[in-house]
Amino acid sequence: MAKSISILCALACTFIWGTTFIAQDTGMKFIGPYLFNGVRFFVGFLVLLPFFLYFEKKNVKTELIRDKNLFFKYSILIGVFLFFGSALQQISLQFTDVANAAFFTIFYVPMVPIIVFFLFKEKIHWSNWPSVILCLIGGYLLTNFYDATIRKGDALVVLGAIFWALHIIYVGKLIKTFNLPLLIGLVQTLVVSFLSMLVAVFIEEIIISGIFKQTIQILYAGILSGGFAFVLQIYAQKNISPAPAGIIFSLEGVFATIAAWIILNQILGMNNIIGCVLILCGVLFSQLLPLYESKVKNI
């Protein structure tokens, strides 16, 4: 039952992430990307706070007695990874379209086992290498490579995917030790908001009226994505193994592309569509083949 609920949480999280690209893309008409993220994640923090106080506060002492320092060290680190991932993603939307940003973001799926291998010396399944090649070829076709500004945006998203991968890895490790998804969400949203506002103060013009002009986008990206979606991700990773979780999260790009077609009229050409298919094939190949081989061995 818990696993079924977690799968539903992962699907809901993925849908929110995918559709939030639209709010992110249209939310920078009057304010900069760092100010947008700073306000967005602070809204997420405010939304999660009452839920934490009501549902989870009573469990904090018993959970943190294991290792309080480890919890806050990893939670802050997760917030830093989320800051870099979301910042690079937000900035990239100034140079590329929603479909490209969404599909290049899912590069974190094949990146996760590779990073785990180098950081923690865990074994990596051979299927990850051809999946990475498929993703790179698909990415080349998906990108309008004749346009330098588009390439710049896509490169930022790929760089951000490294931080998304690190975020997923450390969230998985933390939630397995401490059953405090709301507190983890609170810490990471506060860290992202603080760092984003700090950068915005130095390099962007703080326009209060601009924030109110982007109210709908900020509330959608803040309440649903910055707040609830990341908590849904944390809960999902507690009860779902990395392979099926990665498959579900990879659908983020599909949801974003469909939303972009419907709302922003961002149509993909034939090369772009082939690129999308290759990226999805690479992601699914890296996740499904290990499951298939494991099932065959158990027969």
Side-chain angles (χ1 to χ4, degrees):
M1 182 63 180
K3 187 172 182 179
S4 298
I5 294 174
S6 290
I7 291 174
L8 291 175
C9 287
L11 284 169
C13 165
T14 305
F15 175 79
I16 294 170
W17 279 350
T19 54
T20 299
F21 275 99
I22 306 300
Q24 291 177 248
D25 187 51
T26 59
M28 294 183 289
K29 291 182 180 179
F30 304 101
I31 57 177
Y34 287 103
L35 182 58
F36 178 84
N37 271 352
V39 178
R40 161 196 174 187
F41 280 96
F42 187 67
V43 168
F45 171 81
L46 293 178
V47 169
L48 290 179
L49 185 58
F51 288 92
F52 163 75
L53 294 175
Y54 185 78
F55 292 107
E56 203 171 85
K57 184 182 178 182
K58 59 183 178 293
N59 301 325
V60 171
K61 286 186 178 180
T62 55
E63 289 290 330
L64 293 188
I65 198 171
R66 299 171 189 173
D67 194 334
K68 180 190 287 188
N69 291 332
L70 179 66
F71 176 83
F72 285 105
K73 177 184 174 181
Y74 268 44
S75 294
I76 292 171
L77 187 62
I78 286 168
V80 172
F81 290 147
L82 181 56
F83 162 72
F84 281 110
S86 58
L88 288 165
Q89 186 184 80
Q90 193 66 35
I91 295 168
S92 74
L93 288 168
Q94 297 176 321
F95 304 102
T96 189
D97 58 31
V98 168
N100 280 34
F103 271 98
F104 278 110
T105 296
I106 67 171
F107 266 48
Y108 63 71
V109 180
M111 282 181 181
V112 167
I114 295 173
I115 294 175
V116 166
F117 172 76
F118 285 107
L119 283 183
F120 305 104
K121 306 302 179 183
E122 295 181 15
K123 290 184 178 180
I124 180 171
H125 194 274
W126 67 268
S127 63
N128 285 282
W129 302 114
S131 75
V132 168
I133 294 172
L134 282 173
C135 284
L136 290 174
I137 296 172
Y140 182 73
L141 293 173
L142 178 62
T143 306
N144 294 314
F145 44 83
Y146 50 81
D147 187 331
T149 58
I150 296 294
R151 281 208 305 271
K152 179 180 179 181
D154 294 336
L156 289 173
V157 185
V158 173
L159 179 60
I162 298 173
F163 292 101
W164 290 117
L166 289 168
H167 180 262
I168 289 172
I169 291 167
Y170 279 90
V171 162
K173 290 186 173 297
L174 188 60
I175 194 61
K176 291 291 193 301
T177 306
F178 303 95
N179 186 25
L180 295 170
L182 289 170
L183 183 56
I184 295 171
L186 278 176
V187 174
Q188 72 171 9
T189 50
L190 192 60
V191 169
V192 177
S193 178
F194 172 76
L195 292 176
S196 299
M197 293 300 293
L198 186 64
V199 176
V201 168
F202 285 100
I203 70 172
E204 292 179 356
E205 184 180 358
I206 308 299
I207 306 173
I208 303 301
S209 61
I211 295 174
F212 288 102
K213 290 178 181 178
Q214 307 284 185
T215 299
I216 295 176
Q217 292 91 334
I218 288 173
L219 290 179
Y220 189 91
I223 295 173
L224 293 179
S225 179
F228 290 122
F230 283 106
V231 172
L232 289 170
Q233 174 214 351
I234 293 166
Y235 183 81
Q237 286 192 247
K238 181 175 178 61
N239 298 290
I240 305 176
S241 58
I247 293 169
I248 296 172
F249 291 147
S250 72
L251 295 174
E252 173 186 1
V254 177
F255 288 129
T257 303
I258 294 172
W261 285 348
I262 295 173
I263 300 173
L264 301 180
N265 297 317
Q266 292 184 354
I267 306 299
L268 298 178
M270 183 54 66
N271 280 351
N272 304 137
I273 293 173
I274 294 173
C276 290
V277 172
L278 288 176
I279 291 174
L280 283 177
C281 286
V283 169
L284 294 175
F285 185 75
S286 69
Q287 303 299 315
L288 288 176
L289 191 61
L291 290 179
Y292 174 76
E293 290 186 351
S294 177
K295 186 176 181 180
V296 170
K297 288 180 181 179
N298 294 327
I299 293 177

